[in-house]
Amino acid sequence: MAIQRTFSIIKPDATKRNLTGAIVAKFEEAGLRVIASKRIQMTLAQAQVFYGVHKDRPFFGELCDFMISEPVVVQVLEGENAIAKNREIMGATNPADAAPGTIRAEFALSVGENSVHGSDAPETAAAEIAYFFSGLELVG
């Protein structure tokens, strides 16, 4: 098993409801370690670049508006198979399909307000981490 790093965002719907600690606890209980974390107010420009892969999709504007509506917590998680483990802990994008005990099953309000984002591949994780964190901020 390989030690990996992955990127995570605790989204506006969760920070607004003070769920940051409960969500971080789920990551840590599953064996992931938070090696970098900061609470930020994402700008529209940051959201548009970060979610640029979706720029031609009908929900792009709504997604960007949502992501700048409240502060978010961006973080780097580390552990064995961190990318897959993080995605398992998050649960399905649609909370109605998310397994019991997952973050989205417990905390998501809807498909759009689903409390968390997580990288889907090593390349994505590396790019997403670099977008929000400098190497000096990553303390493992």
Side-chain angles (χ1 to χ4, degrees):
M1 297 276 170
I3 298 295
Q4 289 180 318
R5 289 182 174 173
T6 191
F7 179 74
S8 170
I9 299 177
I10 300 175
K11 293 181 177 181
D13 61 294
T15 62
K16 183 178 185 176
R17 293 179 292 142
N18 294 320
L19 296 173
T20 301
I23 290 171
V24 170
K26 286 199 167 284
F27 292 135
E28 291 179 335
E29 288 164 5
L32 295 176
R33 190 164 60 123
V34 178
I35 64 164
S37 178
K38 57 188 171 184
R39 184 178 178 95
I40 64 168
Q41 180 68 54
M42 198 180 295
T43 66
L44 181 58
Q46 283 176 312
Q48 288 172 333
V49 170
F50 186 79
Y51 288 105
V53 66
H54 300 301
K55 70 179 182 263
D56 295 327
R57 314 258 328 248
F59 60 83
F60 179 69
E62 184 180 331
L63 172 61
C64 291
D65 288 344
F66 167 63
M67 291 303 294
I68 67 170
S69 67
E70 296 281 338
V72 298
V73 175
V74 292
Q75 53 192 359
V76 180
L77 307 174
E78 183 179 76
E80 288 198 20
N81 295 314
I83 295 167
K85 186 172 282 190
N86 180 33
R87 296 187 69 77
E88 180 183 322
I89 297 161
M90 288 190 310
T93 302
N94 183 342
D97 299 332
T102 62
I103 292 168
R104 289 177 173 150
E106 290 188 21
F107 304 125
L109 300 173
S110 66
V111 173
E113 293 181 311
N114 62 17
S115 300
V116 286
H117 161 88
S119 302
D120 61 359
E123 302 77 24
T124 311
E128 291 177 343
I129 290 167
Y131 189 70
F132 286 102
F133 292 95
S134 74
L136 296 174
E137 294 175 298
L138 304 174
V139 252

